[in-house]
């Protein structure tokens, strides 16, 4: 660790082979911490930058699925958001740290960034918008429950959340928690939320073959529209999510009654998608159902019995209830539950609904 005059920092950091973190304390005083090579770990970096030192390039996700577009959609994800150090030997423990090294192998924490001296005389700090992590209680399984969101520092320490995302005052140190990633850990980079899965955890997840078998089984039951009496069928994922198919099931997301598409029951005074269910008369969004196709987001291989509201993505009951109860960071200090398949914010009392299919009359 070196104390140096701030104007001389760039000269001191000219050696690209030396990884360093620079903490600017004032216009005249900076601290540079040098890092050595470690033959027992591999480092992977995540961020918005497309430079070679970033292993996983991440873009902002807008509610509804795609990347945020347009000049007004300025990214809040850091170019060098975080780094993960993975042990090369079993059990391959992986630890997450805020900030990543740039092309010159440096991390700069400017004068305005939250930074401090630790009790053992070392330096630590937080990035502008922070790196937040949530470890699920009970692992990522049928028994999972959402954990508590924490902030990870540049040196991998765990803190309670700041009052707002970029506040200069850090939260409190949480000494009994660590930066070790677990199966199902969520990592929020202020613009995108990542799900960490382990190989052992993915062995318990449904396979794409199982998801396809469930689709075929659901279609083999020949569910019918209770009004039009037409047979409904989930389209093949190979067809892609374009316009809904003629046989596509649609759902009234307030009650869960599944129908084929029809044009009656509109309540335009309530909004373009508001319809009245012909079976129970509840008024609410009426949307096509789509089977969720990302197996890594599923907690169990249960049957596709529930749909997220209001987007209509379908998955098992336990998967739907878990994500509907999991608040994801949004903006400077807000949290919203969101559909894991498309990022749409969930609405309604529960965020998801049990699907009520009608079987064939014969």
């Amino acid at each position: 660790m070196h104390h140096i005059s701030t104007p001389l920092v760039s000269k001191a950091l000219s050696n690209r082979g030396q990884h360093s973190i620079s903490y600017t304390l004032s216009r005249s005083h900076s601290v540079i911490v040098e890092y050595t090579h470690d033959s027992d770990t591999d480092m992977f970096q995540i961020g918005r930058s497309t430079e070679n030192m970033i292993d996983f390039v991440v873009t902002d996700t807008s509610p509804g699925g795609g990347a945020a577009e347009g000049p007004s959609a300025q990214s809040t994800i850091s170019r060098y958001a975080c780094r993960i150090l993975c042990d090369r030997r079993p059990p391959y423990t992986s630890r997450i740290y805020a900030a990543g090294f740039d092309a010159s192998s440096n991390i700069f924490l400017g004068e305005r960034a939250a930074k401090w001296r630790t009790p053992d005389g070392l330096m630590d700090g937080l990035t502008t918008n922070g790196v937040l992590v949530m470890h699920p209680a009970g692992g990522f399984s049928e028994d999972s429950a959402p954990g508590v969101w924490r902030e990870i520092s540049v040196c991998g320490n765990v803190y309670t959340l700041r009052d707002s995302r970029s506040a200069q005052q850090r939260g409190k140190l949480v000494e009994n928690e660590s930066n070790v990633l677990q199966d199902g850990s969520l990592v929020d980079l202020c613009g995108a939320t990542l799900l960490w899965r382990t190989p052992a955890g993915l062995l318990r997840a449904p396979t794409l073959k199982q998801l396809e078998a469930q689709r075929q089984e659901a279609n083999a039951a020949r569910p019918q529209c209770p009004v039009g009496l037409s047979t409904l069928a989930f389209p093949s994922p190979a067809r892609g999510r374009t316009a809904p198919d003629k046989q596509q099931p649609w759902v009234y997301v307030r009650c869960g009654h599944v129908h084929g598409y029809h044009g009656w029951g509109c309540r335009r005074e309530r909004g373009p998608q508001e319809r009245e269910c012909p079976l129970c008369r509840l008024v609410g969004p009426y949307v096509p159902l789509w089977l969720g196709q990302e197996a890594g987001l599923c907690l169990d291989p249960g049957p596709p019995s529930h749909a997220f509201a209001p987007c209509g993505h379908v998955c098992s009951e336990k998967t739907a209830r878990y994500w509907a109860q999991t608040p994801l960071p949004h903006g400077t200090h807000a949290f919203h539950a969101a559909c894991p398949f498309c990022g749409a914010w969930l609405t309604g009392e529960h965020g998801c609904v049990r699907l009520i299919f009608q079987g064939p009359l014969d």
Side-chain angles (χ1 to χ4, degrees):
M1 191 164 78
H2 308 286
H3 293 264
I4 195 166
S5 170
T6 297
L8 299 176
V9 165
S10 57
K11 189 175 181 182
L13 297 178
S14 58
N15 179 7
R16 290 192 174 204
Q18 174 70 59
H19 285 77
S20 304
I21 301 181
S22 166
Y23 301 85
T24 304
L25 303 181
S26 70
R27 292 183 179 180
S28 59
H29 182 203
S30 290
V31 176
I32 295 175
V33 179
E34 294 183 346
Y35 283 72
T36 58
H37 287 283
D38 180 2
S39 58
D40 296 323
T41 59
D42 286 302
M43 181 173 71
F44 300 92
Q45 300 207 135
I46 302 171
R48 179 169 49 88
S49 172
T50 55
E51 295 171 88
N52 287 341
M53 81 293 305
I54 296 298
D55 301 283
F56 300 98
V57 179
V58 177
T59 56
D60 298 67
T61 303
S62 59
E69 295 176 355
S72 61
Q74 192 171 354
S75 179
T76 50
I77 299 174
S78 169
R79 288 181 301 156
Y80 317 107
C82 67
R83 60 199 194 279
I84 295 174
L85 265 61
C86 303
D87 287 352
R88 288 181 171 179
R89 296 184 178 86
Y92 309 109
T93 302
S94 301
R95 296 175 175 84
I96 187 167
Y97 302 80
F101 293 97
D102 63 15
S104 302
S105 303
N106 299 314
I107 293 173
F108 290 94
L109 289 183
E111 208 172 336
R112 294 186 179 183
K115 67 190 85 63
W116 59 92
R117 194 179 297 278
T118 61
D120 51 7
L122 301 175
M123 296 297 298
D124 201 355
L126 304 173
T127 54
T128 303
N129 288 333
V131 174
L132 309 188
V133 171
M134 188 272 278
H135 305 301
F140 198 70
S141 67
E142 297 179 24
D143 304 318
S144 287
V148 179
W149 283 98
R150 304 294 195 199
E151 180 160 12
I152 304 297
S153 73
V154 171
C155 293
N157 293 307
V158 182
Y159 290 85
T160 59
L161 300 188
R162 292 179 263 183
D163 289 339
S164 68
R165 196 74 192 235
S166 55
Q168 288 197 295
Q169 182 61 43
R170 69 181 185 271
K172 294 179 180 175
L173 179 67
V174 185
E175 295 190 30
N176 62 340
E177 296 181 22
S178 79
N179 63 336
V180 174
L181 293 170
Q182 308 164 14
D183 187 42
S185 291
L186 289 171
V187 178
D188 188 81
L189 305 178
C190 193
T193 305
L194 313 179
L195 173 66
W196 177 266
R197 295 303 313 266
T198 62
L202 286 173
L203 289 176
R204 298 190 297 270
T207 63
L208 288 175
K209 196 175 278 187
Q210 284 176 305
L211 292 179
E212 174 59 16
Q214 288 178 350
R215 184 187 75 86
Q216 293 183 10
E217 190 176 334
N219 290 347
R222 292 170 53 218
Q224 287 195 334
C225 172
V227 177
L229 301 182
S230 58
T231 300
L232 308 176
F234 287 104
S236 165
R239 185 176 157 270
R241 183 171 170 167
T242 53
D245 187 275
K246 276 185 182 177
Q247 290 185 289
Q248 187 106 15
W250 286 63
V251 68
Y252 290 90
V253 297
R254 281 194 65 198
C255 59
H257 284 119
V258 178
H259 290 248
Y261 180 76
H262 55 73
W264 63 77
C266 294
R267 289 290 181 269
R268 299 210 181 277
E269 72 277 5
R270 301 272 296 270
Q273 274 196 312
E274 299 288 301
R275 300 283 188 92
E276 181 181 86
C277 174
L279 296 184
C280 67
R281 301 299 182 189
L282 273 177
V283 176
Y286 174 62
V287 298
L289 291 173
W290 304 92
L291 289 171
Q293 288 298 317
E294 179 47 71
L297 298 172
C298 301
L299 270 75
D300 67 336
S305 60
H306 284 62
F308 289 109
C311 61
H313 275 106
V314 180
C315 58
S316 71
E317 177 180 5
K318 288 186 174 174
T319 297
R321 294 200 186 283
Y322 174 76
W323 288 107
Q325 293 167 9
T326 301
L328 302 181
H330 171 73
T332 55
H333 49 257
F335 287 82
H336 292 282
C339 171
F341 300 105
C342 70
W345 293 354
L346 302 185
T347 59
E349 188 181 347
H350 303 292
C352 61
V353 64
R354 182 175 70 87
L355 298 175
I356 304 171
F357 289 94
Q358 175 170 302
L361 294 177
D362 57 359

